[in-house]
């Protein structure tokens, strides 16, 4: 089923056939990337702008590489948050980008809903590269692709998403995608880091790693941002690591062949122990980064087919 | 001598329970008589109401005006224009302006500016604390002498329990009351929507319902120990209303109002980050909305206020959490309230009572009645005539209506202030 939408703003509401199509195409690009046969001119003459209101190296680089492999012209715009007067420049920027006839706009912003607001104002296809604590759709797609390649399926798997779910857009997008594709999702963390009414999203909520990880096929760790500790939501990094950090002992609660994921960048010794993160038998963190490029190529490819303005 | 004779009207006076066909006579801005068969008076201006409803002009218990300090959002003149179009003839203005209304001269300034509009009496609240900063209580005596109607920090909650205690206690000396924005500040800090499933899905920082109910509960305790009168503004939750009901049973001096968004809309109105529906308090679940409707019905809520908060495009064209909270409410106050009448929740007299006589009684002012000898502040409206709310086409300057696109029944045809026609 061809992806019919202009933008990719969220996973929530995206129906299974569209997710499946994105994953199929991404799988295809992953193969091409490994073969080194990817230099194509699919996006030749198209302009892609990476508009980042928040610092990011890996996501921006991943989109940049994806765009380059498909032949797009790429411009990186980093808007330092200090110069942003309460988001005022957001719509000013939209007007500027429109005048420049941008085709694809990759947006990261610290505020939930900011890409949706931009999408109302620009002609370009908008790809949400992370907005506030709302969604990070391409991360969920690359995680799903990684899981599918390792486990052969998504349906019926038990995925434990652990740590700071409250502030995590990665967690929200993953929850929506995995539930849509009929996986079982648990979220695990101290109650101060679990969002209100999380159970109503359709997930199981656990407050200890033992019950949360028991029988899990996939253990997905989230980054705990340092400022959360200063905000008093958890008392200390060492206490967090002791009870919610993933080490070999806690990983043993999961299935013997459970894989370990992390969206990066990792806080080693806070949410994840290096011995687990670097264990090639369990950790698929490197593969996630690889799949990120493939997924973003698939997204750019599909959205460019629906562009209003044809080059 | 000026005479006005409104004929062929459905007279509605909630203060006396009057709901009957009839006519009304005004002499020199005062209601001279009403009833049937009043005869013709020489030199009277005759207005045929065509069977429409004639009621006392609305008494709006709560509106922010933007002036002084935020004239780009709303001036007193533009708010008066919107008020007149909405049938409002008396309006209580919030003091959290720039500068805040914590000085007698500022109170007099606002009253004079209201008088200059000629179409609405503006009764300013004075700041409950100096600078609306929530620390030291303001000069209630001097402020009241200058014309302050009561005391509040407007959209800022008085978070400190000791300060609130002193405010409630001290206001007693002047027979006045303190209006609280019931939201526990530390619990609500940074929040953009009601905490719960929707905020979680949208990735918005939440404000728990408990932030409202716990401040209400706290202030009821303070009313108990001070004997003071606390009034809760824009109550929006079942939990807070339960506390208020219980306090009434104990005979405490506790009153409250709500605003149309809290009985007409629920949190789904924020849809895909619609900032016009970002309000303070935030829109709630439908269960809470229904609890507000029930409290209007059973009398727990004393008044419906517009809770007008003018915002300009720059305040609202932002990502949701960064956008300013607040909705324009003057022009839609009557029609959104009438929607509860059409839905069968309130009788027409009940609805009008909440917009006229009850707030007037709370304020202790001579308004909101068709009584002979009362000022001829009047609204003439057609209860069923339909119209659609359209942001950008509302009277007055502020266009930030949370009801954008809402089809309403009930249209103001004319407004009179002290016998002078100010709208229609």
């Amino acid at each position: 089923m061809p992806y019919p939408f202009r933008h990719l703003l969220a996973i929530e509401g995206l129906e299974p056939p569209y997710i499946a199509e994105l994953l199929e195409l991404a799988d295809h690009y992953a193969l091409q990337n490994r073969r080194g046969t990817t230099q194509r001119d699919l996006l030749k003459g198209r302009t892609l702008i990476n508009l980042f209101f928040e610092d990011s190296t890996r996501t921006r680089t991943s989109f940049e590489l994806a765009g380059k492999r498909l032949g797009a012209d790429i411009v990186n715009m980093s808007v330092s948050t200090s110069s942003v007067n309460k988001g005022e420049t957001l719509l000013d920027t939209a007007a500027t980008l429109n005048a420049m006839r941008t085709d694809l706009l990759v947006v990261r912003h610290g505020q939930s809903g900011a890409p949706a607001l931009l999408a109302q104002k620009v002609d370009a296809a908008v790809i949400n590269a992370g907005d506030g604590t709302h969604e990070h759709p391409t991360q969920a797609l690359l995680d799903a692709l990684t899981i599918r390649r390792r486990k052969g399926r998504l349906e019926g798997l038990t995925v434990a998403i652990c740590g700071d779910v409250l502030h995590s857009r990665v967690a929200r997008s993953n929850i929506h995608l995995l539930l849509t594709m009929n996986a079982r999702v648990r979220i695990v963390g101290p109650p101060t880091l679990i969002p209100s009414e999380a159970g109503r999203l359709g997930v199981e909520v656990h407050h200890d790693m033992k019950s949360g990880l028991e029988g899990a096929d996939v253990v997905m760790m989230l980054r705990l941002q340092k400022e959360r500790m200063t905000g008093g939501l958890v008392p200390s990094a060492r206490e967090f690591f002791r009870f919610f950090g993933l080490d070999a002992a806690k990983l043993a609660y999961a299935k013997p062949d459970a894989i370990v994921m992390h969206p990066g960048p990792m806080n080693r010794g806070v949410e994840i122990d290096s011995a687990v993160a670097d264990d090639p038998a369990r950790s698929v963190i490197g593969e996630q980064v690889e799949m990120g490029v493939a997924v973003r190529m698939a997204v750019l490819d599909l959205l460019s087919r629906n562009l209003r303005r044809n080059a | 001598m000026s005479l006005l004779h409104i004929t062929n009207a459905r007279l509605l006076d909630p203060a006396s329970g009057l709901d009957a066909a009839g006519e009304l006579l005004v002499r020199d801005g005062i209601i001279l008589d009403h009833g049937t068969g009043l005869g013709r008076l020489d030199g009277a201006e005759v207005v045929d109401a065509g069977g429409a409803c004639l009621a006392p002009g609305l008494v709006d218990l709560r509106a922010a005006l933007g002036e002084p300090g935020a004239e780009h959002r709303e001036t007193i003149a533009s708010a008066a224009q919107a008020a007149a179009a909405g049938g409002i003839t008396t309006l209580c203005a919030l003091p959290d302006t720039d500068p805040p209304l914590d000085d007698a001269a500022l109170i007099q300034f606002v009253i004079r500016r209201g008088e200059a509009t000629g179409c609405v009496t503006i009764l300013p609240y004075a700041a409950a604390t100096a600078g609306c900063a929530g620390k030291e209580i303001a000069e209630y005596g001097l402020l009241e002498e200058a014309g302050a109607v009561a005391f509040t920090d407007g959209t800022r909650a008085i978070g400190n329990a000791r300060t609130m205690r002193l405010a409630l206690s001290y206001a007693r000396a002047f027979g006045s009351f303190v209006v609280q924005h019931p939201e526990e500040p530390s619990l609500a800090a940074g929040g953009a929507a009601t905490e719960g499933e929707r905020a979680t899905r949208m990735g918005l920082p939440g404000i728990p319902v408990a932030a409202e109910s716990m401040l209400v509960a706290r202030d009821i305790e303070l009313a108990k120990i001070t004997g003071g009168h606390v009034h809760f503004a824009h109550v929006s939750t079942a939990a807070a209303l339960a506390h208020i009901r219980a306090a009434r049973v104990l005979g405490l001096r506790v009153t409250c109002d709500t605003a149309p968004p809290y009985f007409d809309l629920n949190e789904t109105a924020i849809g895909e980050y619609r900032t016009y529906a970002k309000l303070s308090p935030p829109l709630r679940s439908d269960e809470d909305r229904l609890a507000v409707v029930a409290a209007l019905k059973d009398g727990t809520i004393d008044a419906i206020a517009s809770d007008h908060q003018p915002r300009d495009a720059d305040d609202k064209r932002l990502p949701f959490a960064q956008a300013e909270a607040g909705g324009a409410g003057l022009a839609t106050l009557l029609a959104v309230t009438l929607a509860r009448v059409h839905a069968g929740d309130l009788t027409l007299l009940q609805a009008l009572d909440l917009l006229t006589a009850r707030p007037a009684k709370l304020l202790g002012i001579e308004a909101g009645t068709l009584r002979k000898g009362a000022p001829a502040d009047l609204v003439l409206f057609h209860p069923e005539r339909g119209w659609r709310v359209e942001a950008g086409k509302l009277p007055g300057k502020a266009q930030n209506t949370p009801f954008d696109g809402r089809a309403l029944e009930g249209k103001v045809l004319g407004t009179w202030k002290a016998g002078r026609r100010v709208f229609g």
Side-chain angles (χ1 to χ4, degrees):
Chain A
M1 230 198 304
Y3 184 85
F5 310 108
R6 268 185 70 201
H7 310 293
L8 177 62
L9 299 174
I11 295 293
E12 187 177 14
L14 209 54
E15 286 168 47
Y18 303 127
I19 293 172
E21 192 206 7
L22 277 161
L23 294 178
E24 283 307 318
L25 190 60
D27 222 0
H28 158 80
Y29 278 120
L31 201 66
Q32 282 203 350
N33 286 344
R34 283 203 177 169
R35 286 188 190 138
T37 56
T38 53
Q39 191 63 49
R40 295 182 48 186
D41 55 2
L42 196 76
L43 296 184
K44 194 170 160 56
R46 297 288 193 192
T47 307
L48 183 158
I49 295 189
N50 271 324
L51 180 61
F52 278 62
F53 291 88
E54 270 187 354
D55 291 339
S56 156
T57 310
R58 69 176 61 207
T59 304
R60 202 205 64 221
T61 310
S62 182
F63 270 107
E64 194 175 344
L65 202 53
K68 280 190 171 149
R69 286 195 180 154
L70 295 175
D73 297 323
I74 305 196
V75 179
N76 288 318
M77 279 180 72
S78 290
V79 186
S80 99
T81 41
S82 58
S83 73
V84 177
N85 176 17
K86 292 182 88 180
E88 195 174 43
T89 58
L90 186 61
L91 293 186
D92 295 344
T93 310
T96 309
L97 296 173
N98 238 9
M100 291 176 180
R101 301 178 73 81
T102 311
D103 296 301
L104 296 149
L105 190 59
V106 175
V107 185
R108 168 165 291 191
H109 199 284
Q111 290 290 325
S112 301
L117 182 63
L118 264 178
Q120 291 168 15
K121 307 286 175 187
V122 298
D123 297 325
V126 176
I127 298 151
N128 180 3
D131 63 328
T133 56
H134 177 224
E135 285 226 33
H136 190 352
T138 56
Q139 179 71 42
L141 287 163
L142 74 89
D143 287 340
L145 183 61
T146 307
I147 296 169
R148 217 178 62 159
R149 289 167 63 95
R150 286 298 179 112
K151 298 286 174 191
R153 65 195 162 100
L154 295 170
E155 193 175 347
L157 294 178
T158 298
V159 181
I161 302 177
C162 311
D164 184 3
V165 180
L166 180 64
H167 299 98
S168 179
R169 53 196 176 209
V170 173
R172 282 175 181 69
S173 285
N174 263 302
I175 289 167
H176 295 311
L177 190 151
L178 292 165
L179 291 176
T180 304
M181 302 310 274
N182 293 314
R184 280 193 297 271
V185 181
R186 297 178 188 158
I187 58 177
V188 191
T192 48
L193 294 179
I194 299 293
S196 151
E197 306 276 0
R200 297 182 68 160
L201 303 185
V203 300
E204 275 177 46
V205 180
H206 294 261
H207 299 308
D208 70 280
M209 292 290 271
K210 186 171 189 295
S211 74
L213 264 54
E214 201 144 43
D217 298 286
V218 177
V219 181
M220 197 179 277
M221 301 308 296
L222 301 170
R223 177 177 166 78
L224 180 76
Q225 309 215 338
K226 294 263 162 43
E227 58 268 24
R228 302 307 169 214
M229 252 109 59
T230 54
L233 293 175
V234 289
S236 69
R238 67 177 187 181
E239 171 144 324
F240 185 82
F241 182 68
R242 165 75 178 74
F243 293 95
F244 298 99
L246 187 68
D247 55 17
K250 295 195 195 85
L251 182 57
Y253 300 132
K255 280 190 184 159
D257 63 345
I259 56 171
V260 174
M261 307 179 78
H262 193 297
M266 288 181 276
N267 288 313
R268 292 166 183 269
V270 179
E271 72 263 358
I272 193 162
D273 189 59
S274 285
V276 174
D278 300 333
D279 176 1
R282 310 300 292 274
S283 168
V284 297
I285 295 168
E287 191 171 333
Q288 284 174 275
V289 178
E290 182 191 350
M291 290 309 123
V293 178
V295 155
R296 284 157 187 140
M297 289 169 79
V299 169
L300 295 175
D301 179 354
L302 283 182
L303 287 183
S304 70
R305 297 178 198 178
N306 297 341
L307 281 178
R308 280 184 179 170
R309 205 163 48 214
N310 282 306
Chain B
M1 188 172 79
S2 78
L3 285 167
L4 169 68
H5 189 179
I6 302 175
T7 62
N8 192 17
R10 177 179 171 190
L11 299 174
L12 289 147
D13 183 24
S16 65
L18 171 73
D19 178 359
E23 47 198 305
L24 182 137
L25 267 177
V26 176
R27 185 175 64 194
D28 292 334
I30 302 291
I31 296 172
L32 187 64
D33 201 1
H34 57 72
T36 50
L38 299 182
R40 286 211 163 251
L41 273 85
D42 287 342
E45 179 201 350
V46 178
V47 174
D48 183 344
C53 297
L54 186 67
L58 311 188
V59 178
D60 183 0
L61 208 50
R62 182 181 177 88
L65 298 182
E67 193 176 340
E71 289 82 358
H72 61 290
R73 290 170 168 167
E74 187 91 281
T75 61
I76 287 175
S78 73
Q81 190 196 340
I88 297 164
T89 51
T90 304
L91 179 155
C92 300
L94 293 179
D96 49 338
T97 47
D98 182 18
L101 308 183
D102 62 355
D103 184 88
L106 286 162
I107 295 293
Q108 285 161 353
F109 164 79
V110 172
I111 292 171
R112 278 200 310 274
R113 297 283 283 179
E115 283 166 357
T117 68
C119 54
V120 61
T121 299
I122 293 181
L123 303 174
Y125 287 106
T129 65
C132 293
K135 295 194 177 95
E136 278 99 41
I137 56 172
E139 299 165 322
Y140 293 2
L142 294 173
L143 290 161
E144 199 186 59
E145 257 178 15
V149 68
F151 302 92
T152 180
D153 280 352
T155 54
R156 298 182 213 170
I158 300 166
N160 184 289
R162 181 173 176 274
T163 305
M164 187 61 178
R165 176 190 182 163
L166 293 174
L168 286 171
S169 188
Y170 191 63
R172 287 185 60 198
F174 306 98
S176 192
F177 59 97
V178 180
V179 179
Q180 176 70 295
H181 167 64
E183 189 170 73
E184 211 294 317
S186 68
L187 207 52
T194 295
E195 187 173 289
E197 181 184 351
R198 175 159 294 268
T200 290
R201 284 181 187 273
M202 296 180 80
L204 294 174
I207 299 175
V209 159
E212 177 170 299
S213 56
M214 76 170 55
L215 209 60
V216 166
R218 184 201 76 177
D219 289 352
I220 287 171
E221 292 300 318
L222 295 174
K224 209 183 279 178
I225 59 173
T226 58
H229 175 181
V230 60
H231 177 89
F232 297 109
H234 46 216
V235 174
S236 62
T237 62
L241 288 163
H243 287 305
I244 292 166
R245 271 192 199 98
R248 292 271 179 82
V249 171
L250 296 177
L252 297 173
R253 297 166 76 193
V254 174
T255 52
C256 67
D257 67 72
T258 192
Y262 305 109
F263 56 80
D264 195 73
L265 301 172
N266 62 33
E267 59 187 350
T268 61
I270 65 179
E272 290 292 304
Y273 304 102
R274 273 188 67 228
T275 56
Y276 275 20
K278 183 178 177 186
L279 305 175
S280 175
L283 290 170
R284 306 295 191 181
S285 68
D286 206 50
E287 290 76 45
D288 277 323
R289 182 188 72 82
L290 291 169
V292 172
V293 173
L296 288 170
K297 227 165 155 171
D298 71 17
T300 305
I301 293 173
D302 298 275
I304 297 171
S306 73
D307 207 11
H308 183 69
Q309 286 286 342
R311 298 287 178 258
D312 72 1
D314 289 342
D315 295 326
K316 289 289 189 183
R317 269 195 227 132
L318 290 168
F320 196 86
Q322 289 178 330
E324 294 268 356
L330 298 173
T332 49
L333 175 60
L334 178 63
V336 180
T337 302
L338 290 177
R340 287 303 105 212
V341 177
H342 300 310
D345 295 318
L346 301 174
T347 66
L348 186 52
L349 271 181
Q350 254 182 324
L352 291 171
D353 201 15
L354 288 158
L355 292 168
T356 59
R358 291 184 71 190
K361 189 176 165 217
L362 180 69
L363 296 166
I365 57 167
E366 170 107 87
T369 172
L370 296 184
R371 197 174 51 76
K372 291 168 201 171
D377 293 354
L378 306 166
V379 58
L380 181 70
F381 65 96
H382 193 294
E384 268 113 33
R385 190 167 298 170
W387 61 292
R388 188 175 292 275
V389 183
E390 217 178 314
K393 294 194 173 169
L394 292 174
K397 207 165 179 184
Q399 299 295 322
N400 53 306
T401 171
F403 301 106
D404 191 20
R406 172 90 159 82
L408 292 170
E409 285 173 59
K411 204 163 171 43
V412 176
L413 306 174
T415 307
W416 287 263
K417 177 69 194 172
R420 197 176 73 89
R421 189 153 194 166
V422 294
F423 175 75

